[in-house]
Amino acid sequence: MKGSETKQNAKTVLKIGGMHCAGCVNIIQNKLSETQGVEKCEVNLGSEKAVLEYDPEITDITKLENAIKSTGYKVVYEKFTLSIEGLSDSSDAHQLEKKLKSILGIKNASVNYGNSQAIIEYNSVLLSLADIRRCVEDLGYHIVSEDISSSAEEIEAKKTKKLLVIGTLFSIPIILFGHFGAHYLSLPLSGTPESVYISFACATIVQFFVGRRFYVGAFKIAKMKSANMDTLIVLGTTSAFVFSVYHTFPTVVFEHIHYSATAMVITFILLGKFLENKTKGKASSTIKKLLELQPKVALVRKDGVESEVPVELLQQGDVVIVKPGQKIPVDSEIIDGVSTVDESMVTGESVPVTKKTNDSVIGGTVNQEGSLTIKVSKTGSESFLSQVVSLVEDAMGKKPALQQIVDKVAGRFAFAVMGIALVTFISWMIGVPGETMTALIPTVAVLVVACPCALGLATPTAIMVGMAKAAQNGVIFKGGPSLELLSKINTIVFDKTGTLTEGKPKVTDVITVNEIAVVGGNTSNKNSLLEIAASVERKSEHPLARSLVNYAKETGVTINEPSMFVSVSGKGVKAKYRDQNVMVGKKTMMEKEGISLDKVSEQIHQLENQGKTISLIAIEKELAGIIAFLDTPKPSAKLTIKHLNEKGIEVIMLTGDNELTASTIAKDIGIKKILANLMPSEKVDAIVSLQKEGKTVAMVGDGINDAPALSQSDVGIAIGSGTDIALESGNVVLVRDNLVDVLSAIEISKKTLRKIKQNLVYAFAYNTALIPVAGFGLLYPALAGLAMAASSVSVVSSSLMLKRWKPKFS
């Protein structure tokens, strides 16, 4: 089943309809995992999606859909109709249809030249309406109007509501003419054969029309040789219904008739499903609300004329005017104007950020003061908000270890309940011989009250809300496992440069050491030394190199092109400059080349003691000078380290810098342990060493430069990614360049895991407490149905409490 290691696997997400509980999840996941070519599969009950990785040479979307269909479930697609202007003939229609069908995420497309309409069936998880609109517009056609069909969720909600109303209407006569009416209301027909026949007619409609979905679900799962919630409901209600029918015809035995039990169980369970869907909708909509931040229209300037254009039709390069108080429509770059922008709704940054020409702005943020002229840089699925939603929804499909355990337990739970129900029935038959209905009522109650819905919803709903709230505050988790692991870390490692410090070192000292003859003078002249060092460093991407080059430019020094440039990873650079061999780098580089530092060791020690980083310049293997840099800690570093220490988390600094400089900065911000003089590859070794000590390690660093160390750590946290969140290698991405977001990430992970455990305790405690109550005949089946419904709603409502979370620091 595994493809070649060199092959590029394809990934997709499919929305699945009809799942009720963890049993359904297990059936689908097992079937997909067994499908040839499937490498990875995660099915999530909360989001009702399957995240798949597969070998496209072995299988495809159609085969995956058929695998899901064979389990009795279906892949859900959305549909909408476009009226299109610009179709000149049927060939145009055919070409547009062919192009639309080729787009990943479009299931089917039908373009009719006669009425100029396109009917498109698409996967809303993979493709947005904006992407489809843009594709049509890019092909040269104009969209006149749209007709968007109701979503699958809306259709399901309407269907459930309709069945609930029917179930309620037909359950009322059953209650009125049943045991309740006979004992408490004394209605004219109560207790008569006619009332029983009315109850039978109403109960039949509720049982087989309103409750049809449970029979369908039970049949599907039975074909897979498994059981779920539907199995338990069907077993319980059908047995009570059949027994009641047996005592209805030919002669009515009133005391053995319990149509009210079956009808009310089904109606109450539908009520629970209806409420559960509403609360689940609130949970899943938390993240999608980010997309609603964008305005509907934008003021576009074209050829000197300003006009309002729907945001969906904006294209890269369009020039947009944003007035004070208006929202920025899409990700853009400022080409004129200065203003402050409120980014709190997308990054969690509470203080408005000053923006000027050439700065980037995010769609959905609010321009506060000045008028801005911006050029569109990203639209549709490439935009920051779309990336956030896509990443978080994808992450929701990656189950934490805790959920995988719960799914396995829930998958076997139904069989355990059937065993308990059988024992209950036999026990009652032995205790009360001949009283079959007396034994049947507690058996039905056990089957109904123990449905594992709450168990299946406990984890995914909390994950959905927790991740969404984190995303709204600039913390992006890339999967459930990282959210779970972050709550358990006991060691956190920070890279120094650019993470704990500003990453913008400034030149503080230029010291000449030996008078070495160079073209145009000698190195006793600081500007000559600067010219040589900056010219050699101009091709380097290291922060110190960039700082040196910028300083040289500000000083007015001419920077020339070196030859034979070589970068020595983690140590420095070598090059030929004006026919002389020049080296710029660390002490270790100089010592390896046999260059004596005795003459300047005292100066180097003094500079390092001040927290400065040293670069040494050697010409023709003779030391020429020293350049010192100072990189100051970020304002948020001290506060972050203080709170991490208070939480009992060990904090370690990793750096390629020398130990004396690193210890000075570490002491200033409160870090007690440092690992200095590390090459990039040695940072990975340091993480491995900590893990071997049994520590759960989080690494905080730059998502690109620190990628290997981030990948090795248990949880990699990439900080300050800005809008390029999809490129980051970390398991957790912090949008802002603010270290307090590390605290927020840990806080929301702990709160989410605590909520999951709380939900599981609710679900298990509910079953543990009510199964015996039902078994002893103290819980009427209808009340058991109500209790089962209430448990699912309470678990989802409990998860929604996470929406109240706000980070302590921002």
PDB file of all heavy atoms in Angstrom, residues 4 18 20 52 80 97 120 145 166 187 215 235 276 344 536 546 548 642 665 682 688 733:
ATOM      1  N   SER A   4       6.301   4.605  -3.480  1.00  0.00           N
ATOM      2  CA  SER A   4       7.742   4.834  -3.467  1.00  0.00           C
ATOM      3  C   SER A   4       8.058   6.077  -2.676  1.00  0.00           C
ATOM      4  O   SER A   4       7.325   7.052  -2.676  1.00  0.00           O
ATOM      5  CB  SER A   4       8.220   4.993  -4.912  1.00  0.00           C
ATOM      6  OG  SER A   4       9.525   5.484  -4.947  1.00  0.00           O
ATOM      7  N   GLY A  18     -23.710  12.287   7.024  1.00  0.00           N
ATOM      8  CA  GLY A  18     -24.361  11.135   7.640  1.00  0.00           C
ATOM      9  C   GLY A  18     -23.676  10.544   8.847  1.00  0.00           C
ATOM     10  O   GLY A  18     -24.167   9.568   9.422  1.00  0.00           O
ATOM     11  N   HIS A  20     -22.734  10.106  12.698  1.00  0.00           N
ATOM     12  CA  HIS A  20     -23.414  10.426  13.951  1.00  0.00           C
ATOM     13  C   HIS A  20     -22.514  10.308  15.168  1.00  0.00           C
ATOM     14  O   HIS A  20     -22.680  11.035  16.138  1.00  0.00           O
ATOM     15  CB  HIS A  20     -24.611   9.491  14.174  1.00  0.00           C
ATOM     16  CG  HIS A  20     -25.618   9.525  13.065  1.00  0.00           C
ATOM     17  ND1 HIS A  20     -26.210  10.688  12.652  1.00  0.00           N
ATOM     18  CD2 HIS A  20     -26.123   8.540  12.274  1.00  0.00           C
ATOM     19  CE1 HIS A  20     -27.050  10.428  11.653  1.00  0.00           C
ATOM     20  NE2 HIS A  20     -27.008   9.136  11.401  1.00  0.00           N
ATOM     21  N   LEU A  52      -7.023  13.215   3.643  1.00  0.00           N
ATOM     22  CA  LEU A  52      -6.383  12.051   3.025  1.00  0.00           C
ATOM     23  C   LEU A  52      -5.090  12.409   2.319  1.00  0.00           C
ATOM     24  O   LEU A  52      -4.969  13.489   1.725  1.00  0.00           O
ATOM     25  CB  LEU A  52      -7.334  11.420   1.997  1.00  0.00           C
ATOM     26  CG  LEU A  52      -8.618  10.800   2.554  1.00  0.00           C
ATOM     27  CD1 LEU A  52      -9.727  10.899   1.538  1.00  0.00           C
ATOM     28  CD2 LEU A  52      -8.381   9.367   2.947  1.00  0.00           C
ATOM     29  N   PHE A  80     -23.785  25.591  -7.149  1.00  0.00           N
ATOM     30  CA  PHE A  80     -24.300  26.934  -7.432  1.00  0.00           C
ATOM     31  C   PHE A  80     -24.326  27.193  -8.937  1.00  0.00           C
ATOM     32  O   PHE A  80     -23.651  26.513  -9.710  1.00  0.00           O
ATOM     33  CB  PHE A  80     -23.521  28.008  -6.661  1.00  0.00           C
ATOM     34  CG  PHE A  80     -22.226  28.458  -7.284  1.00  0.00           C
ATOM     35  CD1 PHE A  80     -22.017  29.799  -7.552  1.00  0.00           C
ATOM     36  CD2 PHE A  80     -21.203  27.568  -7.559  1.00  0.00           C
ATOM     37  CE1 PHE A  80     -20.817  30.232  -8.095  1.00  0.00           C
ATOM     38  CE2 PHE A  80     -20.009  27.989  -8.099  1.00  0.00           C
ATOM     39  CZ  PHE A  80     -19.817  29.335  -8.358  1.00  0.00           C
ATOM     40  N   GLU A  97     -16.469  24.731 -19.862  1.00  0.00           N
ATOM     41  CA  GLU A  97     -16.849  23.539 -19.085  1.00  0.00           C
ATOM     42  C   GLU A  97     -15.627  22.649 -18.858  1.00  0.00           C
ATOM     43  O   GLU A  97     -15.393  22.150 -17.747  1.00  0.00           O
ATOM     44  CB  GLU A  97     -17.931  22.771 -19.840  1.00  0.00           C
ATOM     45  CG  GLU A  97     -18.481  21.581 -19.080  1.00  0.00           C
ATOM     46  CD  GLU A  97     -19.617  20.914 -19.835  1.00  0.00           C
ATOM     47  OE1 GLU A  97     -20.658  21.581 -20.053  1.00  0.00           O
ATOM     48  OE2 GLU A  97     -19.454  19.737 -20.208  1.00  0.00           O
ATOM     49  N   ILE A 120     -22.339  24.423 -11.346  1.00  0.00           N
ATOM     50  CA  ILE A 120     -21.065  23.891 -10.835  1.00  0.00           C
ATOM     51  C   ILE A 120     -21.284  23.169  -9.514  1.00  0.00           C
ATOM     52  O   ILE A 120     -21.908  23.703  -8.593  1.00  0.00           O
ATOM     53  CB  ILE A 120     -20.037  25.031 -10.661  1.00  0.00           C
ATOM     54  CG1 ILE A 120     -19.774  25.712 -12.007  1.00  0.00           C
ATOM     55  CG2 ILE A 120     -18.735  24.498 -10.070  1.00  0.00           C
ATOM     56  CD1 ILE A 120     -19.018  27.003 -11.905  1.00  0.00           C
ATOM     57  N   SER A 145     -24.908  37.145 -12.754  1.00  0.00           N
ATOM     58  CA  SER A 145     -25.612  36.869 -11.491  1.00  0.00           C
ATOM     59  C   SER A 145     -25.269  35.474 -10.991  1.00  0.00           C
ATOM     60  O   SER A 145     -24.711  34.656 -11.732  1.00  0.00           O
ATOM     61  CB  SER A 145     -27.130  36.993 -11.683  1.00  0.00           C
ATOM     62  OG  SER A 145     -27.591  36.000 -12.579  1.00  0.00           O
ATOM     63  N   ILE A 166     -42.709  16.779  12.797  1.00  0.00           N
ATOM     64  CA  ILE A 166     -43.620  15.654  12.521  1.00  0.00           C
ATOM     65  C   ILE A 166     -43.639  14.691  13.702  1.00  0.00           C
ATOM     66  O   ILE A 166     -44.700  14.235  14.149  1.00  0.00           O
ATOM     67  CB  ILE A 166     -43.199  14.921  11.227  1.00  0.00           C
ATOM     68  CG1 ILE A 166     -43.372  15.846  10.012  1.00  0.00           C
ATOM     69  CG2 ILE A 166     -44.014  13.637  11.037  1.00  0.00           C
ATOM     70  CD1 ILE A 166     -42.749  15.304   8.741  1.00  0.00           C
ATOM     71  N   LEU A 187     -59.227  11.429  29.470  1.00  0.00           N
ATOM     72  CA  LEU A 187     -59.858  11.804  28.201  1.00  0.00           C
ATOM     73  C   LEU A 187     -60.874  10.732  27.804  1.00  0.00           C
ATOM     74  O   LEU A 187     -60.756   9.569  28.193  1.00  0.00           O
ATOM     75  CB  LEU A 187     -58.796  11.949  27.114  1.00  0.00           C
ATOM     76  CG  LEU A 187     -57.796  13.109  27.315  1.00  0.00           C
ATOM     77  CD1 LEU A 187     -56.731  13.052  26.243  1.00  0.00           C
ATOM     78  CD2 LEU A 187     -58.502  14.454  27.280  1.00  0.00           C
ATOM     79  N   TYR A 215     -32.758   3.492  10.968  1.00  0.00           N
ATOM     80  CA  TYR A 215     -32.742   2.172  10.332  1.00  0.00           C
ATOM     81  C   TYR A 215     -31.710   2.127   9.207  1.00  0.00           C
ATOM     82  O   TYR A 215     -30.983   1.144   9.047  1.00  0.00           O
ATOM     83  CB  TYR A 215     -34.137   1.829   9.784  1.00  0.00           C
ATOM     84  CG  TYR A 215     -35.112   1.415  10.859  1.00  0.00           C
ATOM     85  CD1 TYR A 215     -35.953   2.347  11.454  1.00  0.00           C
ATOM     86  CD2 TYR A 215     -35.181   0.085  11.285  1.00  0.00           C
ATOM     87  CE1 TYR A 215     -36.840   1.979  12.455  1.00  0.00           C
ATOM     88  CE2 TYR A 215     -36.065  -0.293  12.286  1.00  0.00           C
ATOM     89  CZ  TYR A 215     -36.895   0.658  12.864  1.00  0.00           C
ATOM     90  OH  TYR A 215     -37.762   0.278  13.863  1.00  0.00           O
ATOM     91  N   LEU A 235     -32.426  -1.190  17.856  1.00  0.00           N
ATOM     92  CA  LEU A 235     -32.658  -2.367  18.689  1.00  0.00           C
ATOM     93  C   LEU A 235     -33.660  -2.067  19.803  1.00  0.00           C
ATOM     94  O   LEU A 235     -34.607  -2.817  20.039  1.00  0.00           O
ATOM     95  CB  LEU A 235     -31.342  -2.848  19.313  1.00  0.00           C
ATOM     96  CG  LEU A 235     -30.471  -3.788  18.479  1.00  0.00           C
ATOM     97  CD1 LEU A 235     -29.173  -4.084  19.223  1.00  0.00           C
ATOM     98  CD2 LEU A 235     -31.207  -5.094  18.191  1.00  0.00           C
ATOM     99  N   GLU A 276     -27.860  19.746  18.796  1.00  0.00           N
ATOM    100  CA  GLU A 276     -26.431  19.429  18.622  1.00  0.00           C
ATOM    101  C   GLU A 276     -25.897  20.065  17.346  1.00  0.00           C
ATOM    102  O   GLU A 276     -24.805  20.643  17.333  1.00  0.00           O
ATOM    103  CB  GLU A 276     -26.276  17.909  18.568  1.00  0.00           C
ATOM    104  CG  GLU A 276     -24.854  17.423  18.357  1.00  0.00           C
ATOM    105  CD  GLU A 276     -24.824  15.931  18.056  1.00  0.00           C
ATOM    106  OE1 GLU A 276     -25.459  15.149  18.793  1.00  0.00           O
ATOM    107  OE2 GLU A 276     -24.173  15.549  17.065  1.00  0.00           O
ATOM    108  N   SER A 344      -6.151  43.880  15.213  1.00  0.00           N
ATOM    109  CA  SER A 344      -6.523  43.030  16.356  1.00  0.00           C
ATOM    110  C   SER A 344      -7.414  41.858  15.967  1.00  0.00           C
ATOM    111  O   SER A 344      -7.321  40.771  16.526  1.00  0.00           O
ATOM    112  CB  SER A 344      -7.206  43.864  17.434  1.00  0.00           C
ATOM    113  OG  SER A 344      -8.388  44.473  16.923  1.00  0.00           O
ATOM    114  N   VAL A 536      33.478  42.297   1.413  1.00  0.00           N
ATOM    115  CA  VAL A 536      33.529  40.836   1.496  1.00  0.00           C
ATOM    116  C   VAL A 536      32.189  40.277   1.970  1.00  0.00           C
ATOM    117  O   VAL A 536      31.726  39.228   1.505  1.00  0.00           O
ATOM    118  CB  VAL A 536      34.688  40.401   2.437  1.00  0.00           C
ATOM    119  CG1 VAL A 536      34.603  38.909   2.752  1.00  0.00           C
ATOM    120  CG2 VAL A 536      36.034  40.729   1.802  1.00  0.00           C
ATOM    121  N   ARG A 546      24.463  41.854   7.002  1.00  0.00           N
ATOM    122  CA  ARG A 546      23.555  42.919   6.524  1.00  0.00           C
ATOM    123  C   ARG A 546      23.735  44.196   7.351  1.00  0.00           C
ATOM    124  O   ARG A 546      23.716  45.309   6.824  1.00  0.00           O
ATOM    125  CB  ARG A 546      22.107  42.435   6.592  1.00  0.00           C
ATOM    126  CG  ARG A 546      21.770  41.382   5.550  1.00  0.00           C
ATOM    127  CD  ARG A 546      20.263  41.250   5.354  1.00  0.00           C
ATOM    128  NE  ARG A 546      19.594  40.793   6.566  1.00  0.00           N
ATOM    129  CZ  ARG A 546      19.353  39.524   6.850  1.00  0.00           C
ATOM    130  NH1 ARG A 546      19.757  38.573   6.020  1.00  0.00           N
ATOM    131  NH2 ARG A 546      18.732  39.191   7.963  1.00  0.00           N
ATOM    132  N   LEU A 548      26.446  45.145   8.940  1.00  0.00           N
ATOM    133  CA  LEU A 548      27.741  45.744   8.615  1.00  0.00           C
ATOM    134  C   LEU A 548      27.672  46.519   7.302  1.00  0.00           C
ATOM    135  O   LEU A 548      28.162  47.652   7.205  1.00  0.00           O
ATOM    136  CB  LEU A 548      28.798  44.637   8.527  1.00  0.00           C
ATOM    137  CG  LEU A 548      30.205  45.055   8.079  1.00  0.00           C
ATOM    138  CD1 LEU A 548      30.790  46.102   9.024  1.00  0.00           C
ATOM    139  CD2 LEU A 548      31.128  43.843   8.006  1.00  0.00           C
ATOM    140  N   LYS A 642       9.973  35.322  32.328  1.00  0.00           N
ATOM    141  CA  LYS A 642       9.541  35.376  33.733  1.00  0.00           C
ATOM    142  C   LYS A 642       8.340  34.460  33.967  1.00  0.00           C
ATOM    143  O   LYS A 642       8.311  33.655  34.910  1.00  0.00           O
ATOM    144  CB  LYS A 642       9.173  36.819  34.108  1.00  0.00           C
ATOM    145  CG  LYS A 642       8.573  37.000  35.497  1.00  0.00           C
ATOM    146  CD  LYS A 642       8.331  38.492  35.766  1.00  0.00           C
ATOM    147  CE  LYS A 642       7.631  38.713  37.105  1.00  0.00           C
ATOM    148  NZ  LYS A 642       6.216  38.331  37.076  1.00  0.00           N
ATOM    149  N   ILE A 665      23.245  38.434  27.687  1.00  0.00           N
ATOM    150  CA  ILE A 665      21.850  38.638  27.270  1.00  0.00           C
ATOM    151  C   ILE A 665      20.911  37.751  28.086  1.00  0.00           C
ATOM    152  O   ILE A 665      19.843  38.186  28.530  1.00  0.00           O
ATOM    153  CB  ILE A 665      21.708  38.364  25.755  1.00  0.00           C
ATOM    154  CG1 ILE A 665      22.451  39.453  24.971  1.00  0.00           C
ATOM    155  CG2 ILE A 665      20.236  38.315  25.336  1.00  0.00           C
ATOM    156  CD1 ILE A 665      22.550  39.207  23.487  1.00  0.00           C
ATOM    157  N   GLU A 682      24.392  21.527  14.975  1.00  0.00           N
ATOM    158  CA  GLU A 682      24.540  21.191  16.397  1.00  0.00           C
ATOM    159  C   GLU A 682      23.309  21.583  17.212  1.00  0.00           C
ATOM    160  O   GLU A 682      23.097  21.060  18.305  1.00  0.00           O
ATOM    161  CB  GLU A 682      25.797  21.864  16.970  1.00  0.00           C
ATOM    162  CG  GLU A 682      27.086  21.286  16.411  1.00  0.00           C
ATOM    163  CD  GLU A 682      28.323  22.049  16.858  1.00  0.00           C
ATOM    164  OE1 GLU A 682      28.226  23.270  17.106  1.00  0.00           O
ATOM    165  OE2 GLU A 682      29.395  21.429  16.943  1.00  0.00           O
ATOM    166  N   VAL A 688      17.996  16.863  20.421  1.00  0.00           N
ATOM    167  CA  VAL A 688      17.986  15.402  20.591  1.00  0.00           C
ATOM    168  C   VAL A 688      18.496  15.027  21.979  1.00  0.00           C
ATOM    169  O   VAL A 688      17.932  14.157  22.653  1.00  0.00           O
ATOM    170  CB  VAL A 688      18.843  14.713  19.498  1.00  0.00           C
ATOM    171  CG1 VAL A 688      18.999  13.224  19.794  1.00  0.00           C
ATOM    172  CG2 VAL A 688      18.208  14.917  18.133  1.00  0.00           C
ATOM    173  N   VAL A 733       2.456  28.213  14.491  1.00  0.00           N
ATOM    174  CA  VAL A 733       2.945  29.433  13.834  1.00  0.00           C
ATOM    175  C   VAL A 733       2.380  30.651  14.552  1.00  0.00           C
ATOM    176  O   VAL A 733       1.176  30.755  14.753  1.00  0.00           O
ATOM    177  CB  VAL A 733       2.527  29.465  12.344  1.00  0.00           C
ATOM    178  CG1 VAL A 733       3.017  30.741  11.683  1.00  0.00           C
ATOM    179  CG2 VAL A 733       3.068  28.251  11.610  1.00  0.00           C
TER     180      VAL A 733
END
